[in-house]
Amino acid sequence: MMPYSENGVTVHFPNEDYFFLSECEAYDKLKSFGVKEMDVCWLDKASNVLWMVELKAFDHAENVHFRQVDLSSKDVIEYWLNELFLKSVHTLGMIETNRSGTKKCLIPGIALDTNYKIVHIINVMHGQEEYLSFMKDRLQSQLEPYIKIFNVDSISIIPYNSAKNQKLLSWIV
């Protein structure tokens, strides 16, 4: 199923050690209760890192029917910060607990010492990349208790085009 794209934002992991909570029966039973998930998770076994990845497109030039998201509005930023917060926390909860059967959704190899990295890759309108730095700081602050509870190594919000062009992560294509 690689490469995986959502509205023109694409990742391509180098092996089959990824999973989609959205394709899991246990998650399917939870989503009607407002439970959210990150788009894809990939276990980099060589580095012992579980990447939890959300792909968002606030701009998609190739799709004329796509509705752009203008981050210059405080209300828009607050809405999307809440969405990213919920996706992060709910995904961490589903990975860490099996109370609702979500362990069946995971791939083998996630251990107690596996590092967790949450990354939100967002395609933004030209000139709005600077808003992502502010959003990352706010999200980091909101997630601070969960970062400590779940021992999360890093939280990132990065602009898709910059990440792709600068090859920040080899699997962003």
Side-chain angles (χ1 to χ4, degrees), residues 89 92-93 96-97 114 116 145-153:
V89 170
L92 284 167
E96 282 295 308
T97 185
T114 299
Y116 286 176
Y146 303 97
I147 291 168
K148 297 301 181 196
I149 291 168
F150 296 115
N151 197 22
V152 176
D153 189 54

Side-chain angles (χ1 to χ4, degrees), residues 71-132:
L71 292 177
S72 66
S73 165
K74 181 181 177 191
D75 291 339
V76 170
I77 286 182
E78 291 302 320
Y79 171 82
W80 285 106
L81 275 172
N82 185 58
E83 281 293 302
L84 299 180
F85 173 81
L86 291 174
K87 286 176 171 284
S88 300
V89 170
H90 293 179
T91 298
L92 284 167
M94 287 186 285
I95 288 171
E96 282 295 308
T97 185
N98 196 31
R99 298 281 306 230
S100 55
T102 53
K103 286 284 188 197
K104 292 181 275 185
C105 307
L106 311 181
I107 59 167
I110 302 170
L112 287 175
D113 65 342
T114 299
N115 292 316
Y116 286 176
K117 296 188 182 217
I118 296 174
V119 61
H120 300 275
I121 305 167
I122 303 177
N123 193 22
V124 295
M125 292 177 6
H126 180 71
Q128 293 201 339
E129 295 84 2
E130 70 271 6
Y131 290 105
L132 298 184

Side-chain angles (χ1 to χ4, degrees), residues 6-138:
E6 188 171 293
N7 291 315
V9 179
T10 306
V11 294
H12 188 249
F13 301 118
N15 56 41
E16 302 295 315
D17 295 326
Y18 58 88
F19 59 94
F20 301 92
L21 288 167
S22 63
E23 294 179 357
C24 179
E25 184 180 335
Y27 170 73
D28 205 39
K29 292 176 183 175
L30 296 171
K31 69 181 177 183
S32 65
F33 298 100
V35 176
K36 300 183 179 283
E37 52 37 90
M38 304 281 285
D39 289 319
V40 60
C41 298
W42 173 58
L43 181 60
D44 178 355
K45 290 181 178 175
S47 300
N48 196 28
V49 173
L50 178 65
W51 292 91
M52 292 164 256
V53 181
E54 179 66 20
L55 307 175
K56 284 283 172 235
F58 295 164
D59 186 37
H60 187 21
E62 294 81 38
N63 184 348
V64 294
H65 302 290
F66 188 81
R67 186 173 165 199
Q68 291 181 321
V69 174
D70 184 357
L71 292 177
S72 66
S73 165
K74 181 181 177 191
D75 291 339
V76 170
I77 286 182
E78 291 302 320
Y79 171 82
W80 285 106
L81 275 172
N82 185 58
E83 281 293 302
L84 299 180
F85 173 81
L86 291 174
K87 286 176 171 284
S88 300
V89 170
H90 293 179
T91 298
L92 284 167
M94 287 186 285
I95 288 171
E96 282 295 308
T97 185
N98 196 31
R99 298 281 306 230
S100 55
T102 53
K103 286 284 188 197
K104 292 181 275 185
C105 307
L106 311 181
I107 59 167
I110 302 170
L112 287 175
D113 65 342
T114 299
N115 292 316
Y116 286 176
K117 296 188 182 217
I118 296 174
V119 61
H120 300 275
I121 305 167
I122 303 177
N123 193 22
V124 295
M125 292 177 6
H126 180 71
Q128 293 201 339
E129 295 84 2
E130 70 271 6
Y131 290 105
L132 298 184
S133 177
F134 163 76
M135 289 176 68
K136 187 265 184 195
D137 292 344
R138 285 276 311 278

